[in-house]
């Protein structure tokens, strides 16, 4: 099957300004992400940025890159603009690979694209992994998802969901209740282009504004989101300087 990967690479990151151009080994972070996306089955990989420095760097290492409006509130808005620039058909599948995921496995890029194609009633396909540590459940930076039996998302939250009333009634949060499924959402998405055009026309809803989770805008509009267990472990992305140093050490140790 055919699909396109679009990599939003925003220079003006709040926590780590200039993040796409920070080096890992001898290459900028965005080049690592681009190379991994090219190792997937995507027919086309495009980087989307609002910054001339990122644009020039991407051109230097041979990437296809699009300049986008600096005023976009989200990566999804940036994706939609690129899809429009490239004149992609409404039924084409686009996978959003974040520009701060230098360790993203190509397998999961393929997985979300295939999953969306296999579920025509879904507007979005994404992934999750089981949570095994109580600390993760109570970490607001780890987004939890509750998944229905048919594989569709019921809700995403920064809060510890589902809440086991009996287990947590004694204020013991050190262990997870047995038999209760806890899933951490992995922020990789596949969309159809027609959905992207719809999405950017919707105002953020109350749930999205409260939780600061963009996927809740789709749920509030009645869009179905398919969620599957990631086929392979997905390493964390780079949000902070400490994250960057950890990735540098890991890839240096691997000889990459």
């Amino acid at each position: 099957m055919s699909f396109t990967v679009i990599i939003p690479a925003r220079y003006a990151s709040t926590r780590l300004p200039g993040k796409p151009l920070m080096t890992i080994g001898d290459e900028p972070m965005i080049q690592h992400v681009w190379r991994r996306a090219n190792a997937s089955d995507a027919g086309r990989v495009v980087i989307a940025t609002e910054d001339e420095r990122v644009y020039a760097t991407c051109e230097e290492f041979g990437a296809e890159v699009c300049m986008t409006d600096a005023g976009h509130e989200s990566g999804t808005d940036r994706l939609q603009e690129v899809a429009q620039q490239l004149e992609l058909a409404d039924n084409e599948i686009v996978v959003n690979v974040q520009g701060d995921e230098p360790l993203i496995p190509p397998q999961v890029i393929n997985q979300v694209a295939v999953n969306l194609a296999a579920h025509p009633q879904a507007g979005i396909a994404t992934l999750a992994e089981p949570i095994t540590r109580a600390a993760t459940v109570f970490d607001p930076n780890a987004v939890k998802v509750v998944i229905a039996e048919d594989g569709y998302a019921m809700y995403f939250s920064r809060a510890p969901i589902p809440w086991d009333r009996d287990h947590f009634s004694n204020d013991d949060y050190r262990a997870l209740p047995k038999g209760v499924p806890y899933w951490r959402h992995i922020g990789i998405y596949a969309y159809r282009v027609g959905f992207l055009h719809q999405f950017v026309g919707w105002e953020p809803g109350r749930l999205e504004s409260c939780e600061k989770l963009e996927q809740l805008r789709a749920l509030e509009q009645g869009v179905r989101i398919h969620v599957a267990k990631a086929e392979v472990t997905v390493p964390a992305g780079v949000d902070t300087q400490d994250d960057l140093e950890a990735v540098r050490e890991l890839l240096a140790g691997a000889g990459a």
Side-chain angles (χ1 to χ4, degrees):
M1 60 166 288
S2 175
F3 64 93
T4 298
V5 169
I6 300 178
I7 307 171
R10 183 169 173 265
Y11 185 89
S13 169
T14 304
R15 285 187 284 183
L16 203 57
K19 181 162 54 173
L21 301 185
M22 291 186 171
T23 56
I24 300 173
D26 296 328
E27 298 174 345
M29 184 189 310
I30 188 61
Q31 187 170 355
H32 287 268
V33 181
W34 174 78
R35 183 181 296 107
R36 285 178 175 264
N38 273 291
S40 74
D41 295 333
R44 190 174 190 178
V45 176
V46 183
I47 296 170
T49 187
E50 89 298 5
D51 189 89
E52 292 284 357
R53 290 160 290 187
V54 177
Y55 186 97
T57 298
C58 293
E59 278 200 321
E60 285 176 10
F61 62 74
E64 182 178 4
V65 56
C66 288
M67 281 295 295
T68 57
D69 191 328
H72 287 315
E73 293 293 328
S74 71
T76 308
D77 294 323
R78 207 172 302 284
L79 252 67
Q80 185 272 338
E81 183 184 349
V82 173
Q84 197 166 47
Q85 284 187 35
L86 300 179
E87 299 182 339
L88 301 181
D90 282 357
N91 64 347
E92 289 193 51
I93 291 175
V94 168
V95 176
N96 179 355
V97 174
Q98 299 297 328
D100 57 5
E101 300 275 357
L103 303 178
I104 186 79
Q107 298 97 310
V108 298
I109 300 174
N110 296 336
Q111 186 183 2
V112 288
V114 169
N115 287 352
L116 185 61
H119 295 86
Q121 63 273 49
I124 304 172
T126 190
L127 301 177
E129 63 181 8
I131 295 174
T132 58
R133 297 174 62 251
T136 304
V137 170
F138 291 95
D139 180 358
N141 294 312
V143 177
K144 277 68 66 175
V145 57
V146 174
I147 307 169
E149 290 294 328
D150 61 1
Y152 286 89
M154 299 175 70
Y155 192 64
F156 297 84
S157 183
R158 299 183 182 280
I161 58 171
W163 181 265
D164 189 305
R165 185 194 63 177
D166 294 337
H167 180 84
F168 294 125
S169 62
N170 60 0
D171 293 331
D172 184 359
Y173 305 138
R174 293 172 296 180
L176 293 177
K178 293 181 180 179
V180 179
Y182 286 95
W183 293 92
R184 185 183 76 86
H185 177 229
I186 297 169
I188 183 169
Y189 301 93
Y191 311 96
R192 292 182 185 83
V193 170
F195 167 80
L196 288 174
H197 295 328
Q198 285 184 303
F199 184 89
V200 297
W202 297 330
E203 291 294 325
R206 288 173 294 179
L207 297 176
E208 177 186 355
S209 298
C210 173
E211 296 254 23
K212 302 297 187 257
L213 296 174
E214 195 178 344
Q215 62 270 38
L216 293 177
R217 189 185 318 182
L219 285 186
E220 286 188 271
Q221 292 290 337
V223 175
R224 304 192 76 192
I225 301 178
H226 184 269
V227 186
K229 179 182 178 181
E231 293 175 352
V232 297
T233 300
V234 181
V238 175
D239 290 323
T240 66
Q241 186 67 37
D242 286 345
D243 295 337
L244 179 62
E245 295 303 332
V247 171
R248 284 170 170 165
E249 289 182 18
L250 181 65
L251 291 182

